[in-house]
Amino acid sequence: MPGSNQTESSAEPAANNVKTWWLSGLPGAGKTTLAQNLARHLREQSIAVCVLDGDEIRQGLSKDLGFSLTDREEQGRRTAEMARLLNLNGISAIVALVSPSMRGRALARGVIGHDKFVEAYISTPLHICQQRDPKGWYAKAKQNPALQLTGVSAPYEAPISAECVIDTSQTDLADAIVQLTSFLRK
């Protein structure tokens, strides 16, 4: 039937544009700001999108988790499962999550699927993140080293082969959004 072939072929490119951007980096690197602005840009293009912010997820779905590496990886796994479900339903996901381990990010890529997963390393230097300290985490970590803050008393394993690397202290917001949206055309 000519009409159904046309519908299938026009729906295919849209399905190929469903992505999960996994924004990883130190606290204060700019992940949430980038996620919110990327979502706004995509919505202006009539692309269905949902932001999955680590701090918000911790208030509900992951409120039973602490900040050990095991708990952080479980937080990432849960978030990846949500992103996968969104993608299956034609909704792109933007994940703003510290996700400090390479193993945890590899697990997320495996859950979501290699063809839909865009790893974006928000590589803003520690001293800039400490100056920004939008949520007061670095100040709290100074007073309580047991807090296990990533970049201070807990390690962050920088991605070796992220699809996108953005240092928000060097890249303005508009250029960062251009870099992130370039993956829709691929």
Side-chain angles (χ1 to χ4, degrees):
M1 201 163 156
S4 66
N5 285 345
Q6 192 173 27
T7 304
E8 286 174 19
S9 64
S10 66
E12 201 171 306
N16 289 337
N17 273 334
V18 173
K19 299 285 182 203
T20 291
W21 286 268
W22 195 275
L23 281 57
S24 170
L26 295 173
K31 298 177 300 295
T32 298
T33 299
L34 284 173
Q36 292 168 346
N37 282 278
L38 175 58
R40 185 175 310 123
H41 177 80
L42 294 174
R43 288 180 186 123
E44 288 169 358
Q45 308 301 313
S46 299
I47 296 172
V49 63
C50 180
V51 174
L52 302 173
D53 185 77
D55 290 335
E56 292 175 1
I57 292 168
R58 278 197 177 277
Q59 293 174 10
L61 183 64
S62 294
K63 66 182 172 183
D64 61 322
L65 297 176
F67 291 92
S68 69
L69 182 57
T70 301
D71 284 352
R72 288 176 183 273
E73 287 180 351
E74 175 59 15
Q75 160 101 341
R77 187 196 67 76
R78 292 177 187 183
T79 304
E81 290 290 351
M82 287 191 301
R84 181 184 66 80
L85 290 171
L86 288 166
N87 287 176
L88 285 173
N89 285 283
I91 302 167
S92 287
I94 305 166
V95 174
L97 193 65
V98 171
S99 51
S101 74
M102 286 190 269
R103 186 178 92 174
R105 293 187 301 270
L107 172 65
R109 185 183 293 271
V111 167
I112 293 163
H114 295 278
D115 59 326
K116 299 213 179 297
F117 191 90
V118 177
E119 184 175 15
Y121 172 35
I122 312 308
S123 66
T124 308
L126 176 62
H127 72 278
I128 300 293
C129 296
Q130 289 171 322
Q131 288 171 3
R132 290 177 180 169
D133 201 10
K135 297 172 185 167
W137 286 111
Y138 291 102
K140 290 176 190 172
K142 252 185 190 176
Q143 295 185 1
N144 181 8
L147 186 62
Q148 296 183 355
L149 183 66
T150 304
V152 177
S153 54
Y156 179 84
E157 298 172 352
I160 296 170
S161 58
E163 285 85 359
C164 185
V165 178
I166 299 170
D167 176 347
T168 61
S169 70
Q170 301 292 317
T171 306
D172 70 28
L173 189 56
D175 288 340
I177 299 305
V178 167
Q179 287 180 45
L180 292 166
T181 57
S182 70
F183 293 94
L184 286 175
R185 295 182 283 275
K186 292 182 180 176

